[in-house]
C-alpha cells in the first residue's frame, strides 16, 4: 500500500458542494498514468472542511473510479467518534489504507497523541499511515513518540515533512514493516534519493506524469527543473497553488476550495500561469 508514488488530488467543489464529475475527471489521468496509490481527502483534499457524510461519499466515489489503484483516505477529525466512524465507513467502502494526523483545536500532549493512535489502531483492519504535519496540526512528533506509535498494530507507514539527519538510525528504530514517506514536494526528490520508500505527492494529483518522472529518476534533475513552482509552493502553500492551476486549466470550476480558503489571485496567479507555461507539466 505505502510504496512508490501516492497521488493526492484536490476535492473540487462547485458552489460549496462536492463536484463529483470534476473529481472523477481528476482521478482518471492518475489511474491511466499508473500511480502507485491514491491519497484521497488529505490536506490537499480539504478533508477538514467536509462533513463525515460528504467524506464517506467522496471515499466511495474514489474507490469506484480507482480501478486497480489502491486508495487510502484521511480519517482525521477533532472527535474520536468521528474518526472511528470515518474509519469504519472507509473500510466498508474498500479502501486499502487510512491516513491519520493528530487534528485538534487545543494543542495535544504526547500522551494524548499516543492514546489517540492506540485507540484507533486497535479498531481498524487496514494499514494506517501516521502523518506528522506540525504546520497544520500544531503538534510535532518527537522521534521517541514516532517510534512508539509506529510500533502499534496496523501501522505501516510514516509521512514526514522533513528528512531526518540520520535516516539509517530512524529506520533501525522503526518496525521493519513501516515504510518511510515524504511530503513537501520540493524535498521529495532528495528524500527518495536518500532512501525514502514513498512520496506522498501534491503535484501528482494534477500532473502525474511529471511526478512519476521525478519519482523514477536516478537524480534530482527533474525536480530541480521545477524550482520556480516549488518556490510558489513554499510561499503560498501547495493547496492554493494546485487549486489555482486546476482552475486555470478548466479541470475544476472556480472557486474550487471551501470558503474561506481561496486559490491564488492577482499577481501570484499571473506568476503561476507564467511558470506553468514555461514548465509544460503533464
Amino acid at each position: 500500500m505505502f510504496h512508490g508514488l501516492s497521488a493526492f488530488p484536490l476535492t473540487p467543489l462547485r458552489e460549496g458542494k462536492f463536484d463529483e464529475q470534476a473529481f472523477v475527471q481528476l482521478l482518471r489521468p492518475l489511474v491511466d498514468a499508473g500511480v502507485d496509490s491514491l491519497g484521497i481527502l488529505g490536506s490537499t483534499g480539504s478533508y477538514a472542511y467536509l462533513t463525515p457524510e460528504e467524506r464517506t461519499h467522496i471515499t466511495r466515489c474514489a474507490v469506484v473510479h480507482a480501478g486497480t489503484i489502491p486508495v487510502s483516505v484521511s480519517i482525521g477529525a477533532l472527535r474520536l467518534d468521528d474518526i472511528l466512524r470515518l474509519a469504519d465507513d472507509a473500510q466498508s467502502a474498500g479502501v486499502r489504507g487510512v491516513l491519520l494526523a493528530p487534528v485538534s483545536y487545543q494543542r495535544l500532549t504526547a500522551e494524548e497523541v499516543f492514546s489517540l493512535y492506540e485507540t484507533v489502531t486497535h479498531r481498524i483492519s487496514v494499514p494506517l499511515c501516521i502523518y506528522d504535519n506540525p504546520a497544520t496540526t500544531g503538534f510535532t512528533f518527537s522521534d521517541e513518540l514516532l517510534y512508539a506509535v509506529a510500533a502499534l498494530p496496523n501501522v505501516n507507514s510514516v509521512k514526514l515533512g522533513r528528512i531526518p539527519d540520520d535516516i539509517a538510525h530512524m529506520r533501525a528504530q522503526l518496525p521493519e514493516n513501516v515504510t518511510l514517506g515524504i511530503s513537501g514536494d520540493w524535498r521529495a526528490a532528495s528524500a527518495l534519493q536518500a532512501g525514502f520508500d514513498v512520496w506522498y505527492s501534491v503535484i501528482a494529483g494534477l500532473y502525474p506524469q511529471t511526478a512519476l518522472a521525478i519519482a523514477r529518476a536516478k537524480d534530482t534533475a527533474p525536480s530541480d527543473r521545477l524550482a520556480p513552482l516549488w518556490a510558489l509552493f513554499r510561499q503560498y502553500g501547495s493547496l492554493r497553488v494546485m487549486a489555482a492551476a486546476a482552475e486555470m486549466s478548466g479541470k475544476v470550476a472556480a472557486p474550487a476550495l471551501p470558503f474561506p480558503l481561496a486559490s491564488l489571485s492577482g499577481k501570484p496567479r499571473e506568476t503561476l500561469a507564467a511558470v506553468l507555461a514555461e514548465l509544460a507539466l503533464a
Side-chain angles (χ1 to χ4, degrees):
M1 176 68 237
F2 300 121
H3 288 84
L5 178 67
S6 186
F8 280 66
L10 298 164
T11 302
L13 304 181
R14 184 184 291 270
E15 298 180 353
K17 302 296 183 182
F18 172 52
D19 189 341
E20 184 169 338
Q21 181 178 1
F23 183 62
V24 172
Q25 291 176 346
L26 288 177
L27 295 185
R28 188 169 295 118
L30 312 186
V31 174
D32 291 344
V35 298
D36 294 295
S37 65
L38 297 174
I40 304 301
L41 292 169
S43 300
T44 306
S46 303
Y47 73 92
Y49 295 86
L50 302 169
T51 67
E53 293 80 9
E54 288 172 319
R55 291 167 67 174
T56 296
H57 174 62
I58 294 163
T59 299
R60 290 173 179 165
C61 179
V63 171
V64 167
H65 292 279
T68 60
I69 306 294
V71 173
S72 67
V73 63
S74 171
I75 58 171
L78 289 174
R79 291 170 54 92
L80 176 62
D81 54 354
D82 285 337
I83 294 173
L84 297 178
R85 173 188 170 184
L86 288 163
D88 288 342
D89 289 347
Q91 290 174 118
S92 296
V95 302
R96 299 275 294 278
V98 293
L99 176 72
L100 179 60
V103 179
S104 68
Y105 179 75
Q106 299 292 341
R107 186 75 60 87
L108 297 176
T109 67
E111 292 77 13
E112 290 166 340
V113 169
F114 181 83
S115 179
L116 170 66
Y117 281 92
E118 184 179 40
T119 300
V120 173
T121 56
H122 281 87
R123 281 282 300 270
I124 60 175
S125 58
V126 297
L128 178 141
C129 176
I130 305 164
Y131 189 11
D132 182 15
N133 186 13
T136 298
T137 65
F139 181 85
T140 301
F141 279 81
S142 67
D143 286 350
E144 292 73 21
L145 177 62
L146 191 67
Y147 302 149
V149 175
L152 291 169
N154 293 312
V155 174
N156 281 91
S157 188
V158 172
K159 181 180 179 184
L160 296 177
R162 59 187 174 90
I163 302 176
D165 293 333
D166 191 340
I167 296 175
H169 175 74
M170 176 167 283
R171 283 198 179 279
Q173 301 303 313
L174 291 171
E176 291 184 1
N177 66 304
V178 175
T179 63
L180 200 53
I182 192 70
S183 66
D185 284 5
W186 57 90
R187 62 174 71 90
S190 296
L192 293 172
Q193 296 298 318
F196 273 60
D197 304 294
V198 53
W199 173 17
Y200 295 105
S201 173
V202 173
I203 193 174
L206 195 60
Y207 303 112
Q209 298 291 356
T210 296
L212 283 167
I214 293 172
R216 294 170 178 171
K218 296 182 179 179
D219 55 39
T220 64
S223 177
D224 296 341
R225 185 177 73 88
L226 273 59
L229 182 62
W230 301 150
L232 291 173
F233 273 30
R234 289 192 294 269
Q235 184 172 0
Y236 299 108
S238 58
L239 171 61
R240 291 180 174 86
V241 173
M242 282 294 94
E247 290 171 357
M248 289 188 294
S249 70
K251 294 181 179 179
V252 303
L257 296 178
F259 184 83
L261 291 181
S263 64
L264 301 188
S265 61
K267 183 63 175 178
R269 196 177 183 99
E270 295 173 6
T271 300
L272 174 62
V275 167
L276 295 177
E278 175 69 21
L279 294 177
L281 306 178

